[in-house]
Amino acid sequence: PRTEAKLRARIGRTYFHPLALFEQAEEQQGRALTLQREILGDDHPDTLESIGNLAELLISQTRFSEAEPLLRECLEGQRKTRGSENSDTFSAVGSLGFLLRIQGRFEEAEKLLRESMEGLRRTLGPGNGQALNALNNLGTLFLDQGRFNEAEMLINDVLLKKYEGLATNPPLHALLLFTLSKALTGQGRHSEADPHLRDAIEKQSSAFGTEHPHTLHSMSLLGEVRWRSGDRVEAKHFLRQALEGT
């Protein structure tokens, strides 16, 4: 049964990414989780991983009310088995914070996202990829609330320090550049955002291709930036690329 659970969990992840077969993914992941609860218990690392994977699948389908109790269970399980000062625990804190953010529950989300970022910086180091991603999640929360200056300062600080985690992870570097660009355009500083977006597009195109959603979002924002800067020709070029890639 334990081997079956691992196999079903693996199949479920494949159905989810990259196949996007949500119904089949949920069936396999749900069955894997049931087996793991029966055989290993609710707080076993494999069980907690499956709980988190199922929650991620539900979030991708905007089934937030179903995902939230799973993420809370996963967080409590991590705290019980690994302790409060553990990187896996802080990642689980961040996952719950992310869910609350996309539901617009900003006050609750900010507390958790800060805890996740600060905890990951303590346990893994400020230049670690997970810590930088957590920082970006907090920056995105600021964007959602129109706190553009705070987002700019947060992201710009880590970009200026040129952490090794950025040099070895171009997609993450591009994500931070995109968030910084959003913060700048939110303040009407389009010319400053322009070079950051071009850098992000170059990194994303190399890592993912030109039709990946991350690349297309950067192209769309650059198109908007060029339009507001008065360059209608280049603006239409990037906006057309973004539209055709969707």
Side-chain angles (χ1 to χ4, degrees), residues 26-221:
E26 184 175 350
E27 179 183 357
Q28 294 298 329
Q29 290 187 357
R31 182 57 182 154
L33 178 55
T34 298
L35 287 170
Q36 288 164 335
R37 287 189 190 279
E38 293 173 354
I39 301 163
L40 305 172
D42 292 338
D43 296 328
H44 189 277
D46 289 351
T47 307
L48 295 175
E49 182 181 359
S50 289
I51 292 171
N53 288 337
L54 182 56
E56 182 185 358
L57 174 63
L58 295 172
I59 291 170
S60 72
Q61 300 172 79
T62 66
R63 294 161 61 182
F64 303 140
S65 62
E66 296 174 72
E68 184 173 338
L70 290 174
L71 288 180
R72 291 189 182 278
E73 180 185 359
C74 185
L75 174 55
E76 288 309 307
Q78 295 287 8
R79 282 177 171 154
K80 186 187 300 183
T81 58
R82 299 182 184 275
S84 297
E85 282 291 316
N86 179 273
S87 60
D88 289 336
T89 303
F90 289 125
S91 291
V93 171
S95 294
L96 180 58
F98 170 81
L99 175 61
L100 297 178
R101 179 186 73 76
I102 59 179
Q103 294 180 86
R105 296 159 62 180
F106 297 136
E107 186 175 347
E108 298 172 83
E110 182 171 350
K111 180 180 178 181
L112 292 172
L113 292 175
R114 281 190 183 278
E115 180 185 349
S116 176
M117 179 193 72
E118 292 168 359
L120 288 169
R121 287 169 70 91
R122 282 198 307 274
T123 55
L124 299 178
N128 176 269
Q130 289 185 59
L132 291 169
N133 191 65
L135 181 142
N136 186 74
N137 287 337
L138 181 60
T140 303
L141 171 71
F142 292 157
L143 294 180
D144 290 343
Q145 297 176 287
R147 296 159 63 182
F148 300 121
N149 185 56
E150 289 177 77
E152 178 193 353
M153 289 190 294
L154 184 71
I155 304 297
N156 211 27
D157 179 61
V158 296
L159 289 175
L160 289 173
K161 289 176 179 174
K162 299 181 179 179
Y163 288 118
E164 185 180 349
L166 296 177
T168 58
N169 192 339
L172 176 58
H173 194 174
L175 184 63
L176 287 161
L177 288 169
F178 178 80
T179 303
L180 175 61
S181 298
K182 292 277 286 185
L184 293 170
T185 58
Q187 299 172 79
R189 293 156 59 190
H190 298 95
S191 61
E192 294 177 61
D194 188 305
H196 296 310
L197 286 170
R198 292 181 190 274
D199 192 4
I201 290 169
E202 181 179 349
K203 288 177 168 59
Q204 289 164 335
S205 297
S206 178
F208 304 127
T210 57
E211 296 186 358
H212 190 278
H214 289 177
T215 313
L216 297 175
H217 287 155
S218 295
M219 286 181 177
S220 178
L221 184 56

